Amino acid sequence: MLDTSTHKLIIDCGMFQGSKELNQWNEQDFAFDPQDISAVVLTHAHIDHSGLVPKLCKEGFKGRIFATHSTVDLCSIMLPDSGHIQEAEAEWYNRKRRRRGRALMKPLYTKEDARRCLSQFKGIPYDKITEVVPGVTVRMRDAGHILGSAIVEMWVSQPNGNAIKLVFSGDLGSKKQAIVKDPTFIDEADYIFIESTYGDRLHEERVDRGEILGGIVRTIQKQGGNIIIPSFSVGRTQEIIYELSELLHKGKIQPLPVFIDSPLAVEATRVFRRNQEVFDEESQQYLQAGMDPLSFPGLQFVETVEESQRLNRVISGSIIISSSGMCEAGRIKHHLKHHLWRPKSHIVFVGYQAQGTLGRRIIDGAKRVRIFGEDIKIAAQIHNIEGFSAHADRDGLLEWLSGFVRKPKKVFIVHGEEAVSLKFAEIIGESLGLDTYVPRRFETIIFDDAAEMTTLPQEETEHLPLPDALETALAALSKASLEIQEHVKQQALSPVQKQEVLERLAACIEALDQSVQDCEI
Ligand SMILES: O=c1ccn([C@@H]2O[C@H](COP(=O)(O)O)[C@@H](O)[C@H]2O)c(=O)[nH]1
């Protein structure tokens, strides 16, 4: 959040994704009042950057959400889809809760909440300076990560008439990606905020990924079996379509049925087709030659549940691309259930698999997994092609940083696992000689008129971060408190029962109160 003293604005408003603890952070109150925020600037549509926008609007944010036109287009399908997932998850828990007589939980936001917030979006073009609140202008530059992704150049006017220039990298793309352009180099900034997802690692070469995928296709064309590709619906699926289309054009594989079994991926592919003007040069050349890089004979889009179920009868010679990319939900789980036990099946991972996900367990060599309550033996051949990452790797990030002609005063390392961010900070210092800083969650940094920065000592920070485990326990307590309120509302209690509830609550509060009072600083 950026506070200019007259206006507050947010750069990205993403959902925490991954472990149960991280997911619970989404339920917490924002660290500010959404009604006080004047504008949001989104770097791109991925849910870890845009997913809490519907919650922000639901809780009182009335301003504009600025993003590139393609990001607005993608958000218009991704946010309602996310709302649908929230509702489905809440309903899944509520089925159990009803059976146990427990209070029902509410979704974080609904599909309708997400649809409603879309009217606040304002599409802006790449490369044009736009005022987002009085005194703050931005210019979106192509970040080459997914369709519509942007690096945000931001100028914040100072009372002395000067402006501080901040640059937010958003997620920076990999040069190895097809369809989207390479990340734009920026000349200058006072301060840079750079992502660090792969700040300590390198990716495979692009040529390898096509070779590996082509080789697996040729294997099933000789020996039988299907290929199942768990894939993120937006960006990754279109990349795979592009790669297969290239392999076919070059005659490296023979035509075969390829099913895209994800309603979101189908819609996203339509959005890509509508936004061809931002494609990279290679894709533009395909288009000019009358070829569609997102289409080839044999490619079939599967939308209905019935069509998807029919795929269970296809046991050989096809590729099924389905989501979710980390195999935690969606139709991919059905395809894994039907294919993991078959020795001739090939499961091809093309995206990052976070700790604790089904995809990660399979990659890590599990012999059996549970899917929909069934114990499934893993006999299929498992492949992991890392070269499809949509992120710049360590060297890509360093190359982008080295493009700044004027040295920034400081590089803030953000958006990465803490250990990786710290390592990347060290690497930047050693290889580029730039000053770095890895901010803590909720830390406040002040920029003065001369564009110099100071960090507020932890004790003076408005929102001191609590230890993660305590945050999680407090979130669980808030949830339990809501549940108690619901129970009390739903069930008539006798005066004696009421008294018992009050006494037990009072005992809890007293014990908690005492432990906080006793806590040493
Ligand atoms: O170390 C990591 C790497 C990635 N992620 C998450 O996965 C997605 C997709 O990554 P790709 O490399 O494009 O497959 C990325 O945006 C992150 O959200 C991660 O959490 N940790």
Side-chain angles (χ1 to χ4, degrees), residues 12-15 40 42-55 65 71 74-75 78-79 82 109 117 121:
D12 284 346
C13 188
M15 196 182 265
V40 174
L42 288 188
T43 60
H44 65 289
H46 272 157
I47 292 300
D48 61 329
H49 293 258
S50 70
L52 287 187
V53 167
K55 174 172 146 129
I65 302 150
T71 295
L74 281 176
C75 281
M78 291 173 75
L79 294 179
S82 170
Y109 55 84
C117 82
F121 275 74

Side-chain angles (χ1 to χ4, degrees), residues 91-92 130 173 239 259 278 304 339 375 386 389-390 425 429-430 517:
E91 183 45 34
W92 188 84
T130 309
E239 279 267 309
F259 300 98
V278 293
T304 67
H339 285 86
D375 187 34
E386 284 182 8
S389 176
E430 280 161 14
Q517 307 269 10

